[in-house]
Amino acid sequence: MTYPQPGHDPTRPLPPISAVPAGPYPPAGPYPPAGQYPPAVAYPPPLLIAAPPSSGTATAAMVLGIVGVLGGWCVFGLPCILAVILGHIGLHETRNGLKSGRGMAVAGLVLGYVFVAPAVTLTLMVFFGGVIGAATPTPTP
């Protein structure tokens, strides 16, 4: 059954399909045409290779490096120092490829080394500035 054509009277039934004039295309046959495709080949199931586990110390080094960048100055540069230590441990764990996360370990090392010096310097300046300021007598008028 085809859709009604424009101008079709809905009270009259549609003509049978065999009475519909042929279009510009040949009549449909079986799909796909016989002999056109090669026979199906049975492929082996895909091999599922598990990725190596990620190094937790490398992840911790990167996270502590980011924390050290954002607020390491207010905790005396401790996250930066921990990022450097854990970054070296993470590099050691990922050296032979049994664990992944080498890039995170390197990121933690870079962030730790870049921001450990300013954080420690600022901490020492504040500490010694307070000590020297408290030890210096002020003249009384």
Side-chain angles (χ1 to χ4, degrees):
M1 193 177 230
T2 61
Y3 289 106
Q5 299 295 323
H8 172 72
D9 182 15
T11 58
R12 291 183 35 204
L14 291 173
I17 292 178
S18 61
V20 175
Y25 302 106
Y31 185 80
Q36 189 172 6
Y37 298 109
V41 178
Y43 291 104
L47 295 176
L48 299 177
I49 300 172
S54 181
S55 171
T57 54
T59 305
M62 185 183 68
V63 169
L64 286 170
I66 293 170
V67 168
V69 167
L70 297 177
W73 53 271
C74 64
V75 286
F76 313 115
L78 187 62
C80 298
I81 295 169
L82 289 174
V84 169
I85 293 169
L86 293 176
H88 281 291
I89 294 171
L91 277 179
H92 180 73
E93 284 182 354
T94 60
R95 178 180 49 198
N96 56 4
L98 294 178
K99 288 190 175 184
S100 64
R102 190 166 184 83
M104 291 188 290
V106 170
L109 275 173
V110 168
L111 291 172
Y113 275 129
V114 167
F115 289 98
V116 74
V120 170
T121 303
L122 181 67
T123 301
L124 291 176
M125 287 173 48
V126 168
F127 176 73
F128 286 120
V131 169
I132 291 172
T136 306
T138 56
T140 56

